[in-house]
Amino acid sequence: MKNPIFDIENWREIGATLARNKTRTFLTAFGIFWGTAMLAMLWGGAHGMEGMLRRNFAGFTTNLGAVFPGQTSISFKGFNKGMQWTMTQNDVDAIRRITPNIEYSTTICQNYGTIQYGTQSKQAQIIGYEPDFSKILLPVIYSGRVLNESDESGSRKVALIGKNIAAELFGTEEPVGKFICAKGIYFLVAGVIGQTSEVNIGGRYDESVIIPSSTFRRAYNWGNQVNFFMYTADAGHAPSELKPYIIRAICANHPISPEDDKAMWFMDISEEFNMIDNLFLGVSLLALFVGAGSLMAGIIGIGNIMWIIVKERTQEIGIRRAIGAKPCDIIVQILSEGVVLTSIAGLAGVCFSTLVLALVDSQTTDHVLGSAGFILTFSQAAGIVAAFLVLGTAAGTLPAIKAMRIKPIEAMRDK
């Protein structure tokens, strides 16, 4: 007897059997189709939603920390509580000297004033950064360059301007190489930058004028004062791990108690990113749970239709057994019907979900940030179809075993 897998007549018979049970076959196929489509869309959709949220933090390092001066809440060394203290460059030098595992760091000085070019003017924020700022809050460089060590050490009067300021002051004219007046002082425009992240610390690049920190303090008579200090920790270390060293460095220069947790405010962006990671882990698990529910509904449908097929073909199976069909031939024949149904409906569901995800991805793609990630990879698609095939085959195993055990004499008596 021919192997049912390679017997063309057997495959024709499978098609005829499924066709005879049109309603059941359609409902089962639709359940499989919808189960695979739901699982695939939920999987790809969860990845895309995570990508869209993470785009809000694009250009933002995940291990960023910052320390801001505050108001004391404990009396110390003869000074009453409630004292407002000012951070200085000496504090920053002490922090860098004793604190390990700082990767990049910068002081931040902020002011506000009128920015002028020719007859055009605009109110904007003026920010003093050190060169490492471009490695911490990664800017988009539209033209020119970013600040470097020579600008900082030489207190050069160079500036980076945000793309929105450049558009308002210069229009279509190239700003790089031109001079602007920022609060009464002229600076040479070295570059035009922008910001992709929706999050900002100190001000958005798009709406700011950025100059070297040393130039800022000298030009605007700030002396040693800085607004706050920003840093990133080395790989494998959290910014909060550096907190004790920073507190010790600052307390050595100011009458602040080391126990005063309100005298300075710390920010650790890595904690926010950990929360986002945990949030989307939960979303992914929920998507898989809902998709698995749809998958199981389709699998149960396969099992049901296999039981019905076995019941309807009891006599036929008995006759096959009587004329010499082996048990494995009966099992393969019954399972083949479930595999065909699962394969066709499953592949259709994956293809449908891939098209839907591709459409959504095309609508959410940003010309700067790129795709959000509403995609289903080949391995994911293959995994979903393989899972349906394995579970669909398992669902048809019991009906196939029942068919194998049918005795010819009992099958002939069945009505």
Side-chain angles (χ1 to χ4, degrees):
M1 180 174 288
K2 293 182 180 180
N3 190 321
I5 295 178
F6 303 104
D7 189 353
I8 189 65
E9 292 299 325
N10 182 59
W11 287 104
R12 288 175 180 170
E13 195 170 313
I14 290 171
T17 302
L18 295 176
R20 284 197 301 270
N21 299 276
K22 290 180 181 179
T23 302
R24 298 191 191 100
T25 300
F26 174 78
L27 292 176
T28 303
F30 182 78
I32 298 169
F33 168 84
W34 189 245
T36 53
M38 281 290 292
L39 181 56
M41 284 191 288
L42 286 169
W43 201 344
H47 187 267
M49 290 299 294
E50 180 178 1
M52 288 189 69
L53 180 59
R54 289 190 182 279
R55 285 200 313 200
N56 293 328
F57 300 92
F60 213 76
T61 51
T62 59
N63 61 339
L64 171 66
V67 56
F68 301 81
Q71 195 174 48
T72 60
S73 60
I74 299 176
S75 299
F76 189 70
K77 291 184 177 180
F79 290 85
N80 293 328
K81 64 180 181 179
M83 178 189 69
Q84 188 77 37
W85 64 280
T86 300
M87 185 177 291
T88 67
Q89 186 64 42
N90 294 335
D91 297 324
V92 173
D93 293 340
I95 291 171
R96 287 170 172 159
R97 186 170 58 252
I98 71 170
T99 305
N101 303 314
I102 290 181
E103 184 180 20
Y104 303 115
S105 63
T106 179
T107 56
I108 293 90
C109 304
Q110 298 169 302
N111 209 331
Y112 197 82
T114 302
I115 313 299
Q116 293 177 305
Y117 175 73
T119 59
Q120 302 295 320
S121 65
K122 178 178 174 60
Q123 295 293 312
Q125 185 168 230
I126 305 168
I127 306 176
Y129 277 130
E130 291 177 290
D132 275 357
F133 88 97
S134 59
K135 301 173 184 176
I136 299 174
L137 303 175
L138 310 177
V140 178
I141 304 172
Y142 294 101
S143 63
R145 62 174 179 85
V146 294
L147 302 181
N148 57 40
E149 294 292 345
S150 296
D151 298 328
E152 177 67 22
S153 60
S155 299
R156 292 179 177 173
K157 291 183 179 180
V158 294
L160 307 179
I161 61 174
K163 65 174 184 178
N164 293 346
I165 293 179
E168 291 193 34
L169 297 185
F170 292 89
T172 58
E173 185 180 353
E174 173 57 53
V176 176
K178 306 295 191 310
F179 283 89
I180 60 170
C181 180
K183 204 174 181 181
I185 298 176
Y186 283 88
F187 295 89
L188 176 67
V189 177
V192 178
I193 63 174
Q195 181 174 326
T196 56
S197 172
E198 295 298 325
V199 181
N200 67 85
I201 300 177
R204 286 190 61 82
Y205 288 158
D206 300 10
E207 304 288 347
S208 302
V209 172
I210 296 172
I211 62 177
S213 182
S214 61
T215 306
F216 183 102
R217 294 194 304 273
R218 177 175 295 182
Y220 298 113
N221 298 317
W222 271 44
N224 255 356
Q225 178 183 345
V226 298
N227 282 109
F228 61 96
F229 176 68
M230 188 162 55
Y231 62 93
T232 59
D234 286 330
H237 298 272
S240 56
E241 294 178 17
L242 282 54
K243 183 176 176 180
Y245 299 96
I246 296 174
I247 292 175
R248 189 171 69 187
I250 292 175
C251 290
N253 293 333
H254 299 272
I256 298 174
S257 170
E259 307 300 323
D260 191 348
D261 57 358
K262 294 183 179 179
M264 58 195 83
W265 177 61
F266 285 86
M267 179 183 67
D268 184 351
I269 291 295
S270 65
E271 296 176 354
E272 306 300 324
F273 279 96
N274 288 335
M275 290 176 60
I276 293 173
D277 290 339
N278 293 333
L279 170 65
F280 277 100
L281 175 61
V283 170
S284 297
L285 292 176
L286 178 62
L288 288 176
F289 177 77
V290 175
S294 301
L295 182 149
M296 292 310 299
I299 298 307
I300 292 171
I302 293 173
N304 288 337
I305 199 170
M306 290 300 101
W307 279 111
I308 293 169
I309 289 173
V310 169
K311 180 65 177 174
E312 291 181 350
R313 300 175 63 186
T314 299
Q315 285 189 343
E316 177 190 334
I317 293 171
I319 293 172
R320 284 175 179 262
R321 291 295 310 278
I323 61 176
K326 297 178 181 178
C328 65
D329 295 334
I330 301 299
I331 290 177
V332 170
Q333 182 182 2
I334 300 301
L335 290 180
S336 297
E337 296 169 3
V339 169
V340 169
L341 192 62
T342 304
S343 300
I344 295 174
L347 286 172
V350 167
C351 291
F352 173 76
S353 61
T354 301
L355 290 174
V356 172
L357 289 171
L359 178 62
V360 174
D361 194 58
S362 66
Q363 297 299 313
T364 56
T365 297
D366 185 271
H367 69 283
V368 175
L369 300 175
S371 170
F374 285 95
I375 57 174
L376 191 68
T377 65
F378 177 80
S379 60
Q380 290 171 338
I384 292 172
V385 174
F388 264 90
L389 285 174
V390 170
L391 293 176
T393 302
T397 300
L398 287 178
I401 292 174
K402 180 181 184 299
M404 178 195 70
R405 292 178 176 174
I406 293 176
K407 296 180 180 179
I409 187 65
E410 294 178 355
M412 297 297 292
R413 294 174 181 173
D414 187 75
K415 295 183 180 180

